[in-house]
Amino acid sequence: AGAKMTEVEVDIETPDGVMNTVVMHPEHGGPFPVAICFFDSCGIRPDFLEMPRRLAATGYCVATPNMYYRKAREVNLNPDEIDSDDPVYDDQRAQMWQLNRSITPQNCEADTRAVIAWLDAYSHTLRGPVGAFGYCLGGRLSLWAAAFVPDRVAAAGSFHGGGFVTDTPLSLHKIADRIKAEVYIAHAGTD
């Protein structure tokens, strides 16, 4: 059996309200280096939390913020249903896209800064460089975090990230020069 883990949901104050965030780290030891895990478009759900849990078990404090808090405190969409072509899931797909598009570069920056400030005050964390990683939507969020908080985000990972190139002024391809972090971008032809 692995080390016992601490896993709590905390409320983090942001300029736009209260962002519920799952924080996990080993129960003993520390202080731990910090990573922020950004979810995919389906939100925080039990199977998604396995990914940050695996990193936390190796000796990190991992925070998974609900970046949809402006719209909903709980979002638990089923990826299999979202990916289905069945029209019965059209409402869920529409909800997912509405939530996905509600996250702007500006609120990603504000939320990332709020998470980092909370983690800096948390007794189980090291203050200093932060890692950020995410899946799908979260891949874009991790790179935005690196671009908008370059003084703290030292490593960023994007797994199947999307929406990097848009016609907006803050498209990632237009602001990539702001990123100082080591960056890892993973894509696959077939998952």
Side-chain angles (χ1 to χ4, degrees):
K4 289 190 175 192
M5 299 293 293
T6 295
E7 189 170 316
V8 295
E9 185 173 1
V10 299
D11 287 336
I12 296 176
E13 293 288 332
T14 77
D16 293 328
V18 175
M19 178 172 53
N20 51 311
T21 301
V22 177
V23 176
M24 50 186 76
H25 56 80
E27 190 173 299
H28 301 290
F32 303 104
V34 170
I36 301 170
C37 175
F38 292 106
F39 58 48
D40 61 15
S41 293
C42 291
I44 297 174
R45 55 196 183 280
D47 61 329
F48 181 85
L49 288 173
E50 288 303 315
M51 291 179 272
R53 194 172 287 126
R54 283 195 310 264
L55 181 60
T58 68
Y60 283 82
C61 179
V62 182
T64 304
N66 172 19
M67 300 293 284
Y68 291 153
Y69 72 94
R70 290 172 183 84
K71 299 279 185 188
R73 184 167 175 91
E74 302 295 329
V75 174
N76 184 1
L77 298 170
N78 183 323
D80 293 329
E81 294 172 357
I82 296 292
D83 289 340
S84 164
D85 290 333
D86 189 330
V88 73
Y89 301 119
D90 286 351
D91 288 346
Q92 288 182 48
R93 275 189 291 280
Q95 177 189 11
M96 181 205 67
W97 284 116
Q98 180 184 32
L99 290 165
N100 181 300
R101 292 181 179 128
S102 74
I103 300 175
T104 67
Q106 295 86 350
N107 60 34
C108 179
E109 177 182 2
D111 295 347
T112 300
R113 290 187 183 282
V115 170
I116 291 171
W118 187 92
L119 289 163
D120 280 349
Y122 188 51
S123 63
H124 298 282
T125 60
L126 294 171
R127 285 127 197 98
V130 172
F133 66 104
Y135 304 85
C136 194
L137 163 66
R140 180 178 52 220
L141 299 180
S142 70
L143 296 179
W144 274 347
F148 293 117
V149 193
D151 57 315
R152 293 300 299 277
V153 179
S158 169
F159 301 89
H160 337 284
F164 295 165
V165 178
T166 66
D167 60 2
T168 65
L170 294 176
S171 174
L172 278 165
H173 78 287
K174 295 176 183 175
I175 62 170
D177 61 338
R178 297 181 185 187
I179 297 173
K180 297 178 185 173
E182 289 284 327
V183 173
Y184 178 81
I185 298 175
H187 288 280
T190 57
D191 287 322

